[in-house]
Amino acid sequence: MSPTPGASGLIDLHTHSTASDGTVAPGVLVRRAAEQGVTVLGLTDHDTLAGHDQASAALPPGMVLVPGVEISCQVYEGDRLVSLHLLGYLPDPDDEPLSTALAALRASRADRAAAVVRALQADGHTGVTDQLVAEVAAGAPVGRPHLAAALVHAGLAADQQAAFGPDWLGPGGRYRLPKVDLPVMVAVRLVRAAGGVPVFAHPGAHRRGPTVSDETIVAMADAGLVGLEVDHPDHDPATRAQLRRLADQLKLLVTGSSDYHGSRKTTRLGQECTDPAVLEQLLDRAAWPPVRG
Ligand code: AMP
Ligand code: FE
Ligand code: FE
Ligand code: ZN
């Protein structure tokens, strides 16, 4: 039997780099993770695979990279549209339908960013410009954390937390404008069709906004979902216990990860981890092998 990757270290399957809204470049991220005792790292930037090549090229010896993506999705709960995130591990990087869908999500992010800037300018907040937002995002698909940084940079919000408050980009905020996300059942099937492994990211992160019902998770499982990210910094103990029971009932894998964003969040690399036996099952379900340093 081959040794389980990461058996001797931490397995952190959900992190962000400057390829999306993290603050650490992919090549630096893998080295920093190794220093923190992480031996298996999932790089899961929002709606892009762009960081994988840099991360692979900088992979320290002995470290395993699990290339992935965190896909912006939506689902109807009754007549209410709820946002959710789907992790896709090890999809074929050249899969056309997946690439096309991710490009559309990035375009929607650009449209939303432009709409937020227009809305701010119309209200006389002229310090946030398209150019400032572009500088902050530095080529990454624009996320609300970039817009928040631009608000802080322009002196409109005191800090990131204020920018994510009700006056600006937070729930009910005037500049909390929607983007068009991928219907989640479509996303689950897209990831599977690309040979990848779909895992529902932070299904119980209530603080970020409304979460989905168990019925939706059952439907996602029917569509081909493989796992639930149970151990996540935004989940309290009761939420974890409930999600673990649901995963058990639906025969879904249980993952754990930090959702590291560099200095944009307080979470540390390797703060939450996945069990080596679960990693092995996850890798077994993928059409592609991970990258070994
Ligand atoms: P977006 O997908 O661009 O709408 O933005 C969602 C991103 O914003 C996620 O990566 C979250 O981690 C981040 N986010 C959401 N709420 C907050 C918050 N209150 N403080 C900091 N980051 C947040
Ligand atoms: Fe993020
Ligand atoms: Fe997420
Ligand atoms: Zn994330």
Side-chain angles (χ1 to χ4, degrees):
M1 209 178 85
S2 63
T4 307
S8 58
L10 306 175
I11 301 168
D12 186 346
L13 291 180
H14 177 173
T15 66
H16 295 265
S17 73
T18 49
S20 66
D21 59 3
T23 59
V24 180
V28 179
L29 179 70
V30 291
R31 289 195 291 272
R32 196 168 288 180
E35 286 162 16
Q36 307 288 320
V38 174
T39 50
V40 180
L41 185 77
L43 178 59
T44 52
D45 277 304
H46 296 285
D47 306 325
T48 181
L49 312 175
H52 297 160
D53 287 350
Q54 270 187 59
S56 301
L59 212 54
M63 188 153 189
V64 175
L65 177 74
V66 182
V69 60
E70 184 172 21
I71 305 174
S72 304
C73 297
Q74 60 188 35
V75 71
Y76 278 98
E77 291 286 339
D79 55 7
R80 185 180 200 193
L81 196 56
V82 174
S83 299
L84 69 167
H85 289 169
L86 184 77
L87 295 161
Y89 292 110
L90 292 160
D92 175 355
D94 297 320
D95 184 80
E96 290 275 349
L98 181 63
S99 302
T100 303
L102 294 178
L105 292 170
R106 295 193 295 269
S108 175
R109 287 181 170 278
D111 291 345
R112 177 189 58 175
V116 170
V117 171
R118 278 198 304 276
L120 285 162
Q121 300 229 333
D123 290 345
H125 302 306
T126 53
V128 175
T129 60
D130 291 330
Q131 192 190 342
L132 175 60
V133 171
E135 278 168 22
V136 172
V142 187
R144 268 186 296 153
H146 299 119
L147 297 168
L151 283 167
V152 175
H153 195 84
L156 291 167
D159 53 24
Q160 181 185 251
Q161 208 184 328
F164 270 101
D167 290 341
W168 304 101
L169 303 167
R174 183 166 168 74
Y175 308 101
R176 171 82 174 91
L177 302 183
K179 52 188 170 56
V180 181
D181 294 330
L182 197 60
V184 73
M185 306 305 165
V186 173
V188 168
R189 292 191 185 97
L190 260 182
V191 171
R192 287 295 292 263
V197 182
V199 172
F200 187 178
H202 45 75
H206 314 285
R207 271 185 292 142
R208 298 178 181 214
T211 53
V212 305
S213 61
D214 286 0
E215 288 69 31
T216 293
I217 299 179
V218 171
M220 288 168 71
D222 288 342
L225 187 73
V226 170
L228 288 185
E229 187 180 58
V230 172
D231 292 310
H232 182 281
D234 289 0
H235 290 165
D236 58 34
T239 301
R240 293 177 197 221
Q242 190 198 338
L243 288 169
R244 229 176 224 102
R245 277 196 299 276
L246 189 60
D248 193 48
Q249 275 169 28
L250 299 175
K251 305 272 179 286
L252 296 172
L253 300 181
V254 164
T255 69
S257 16
S258 67
D259 203 354
Y260 181 75
H261 277 71
S263 61
R264 285 221 169 89
K265 290 189 183 175
T266 54
T267 315
R268 289 169 287 108
L269 280 160
Q271 180 174 322
E272 309 267 359
C273 291
T274 296
D275 191 87
V278 171
L279 173 70
E280 199 164 61
Q281 292 177 63
L282 193 150
L283 296 180
D284 279 349
R285 302 289 294 270
W288 293 70
V291 184
R292 286 164 202 276

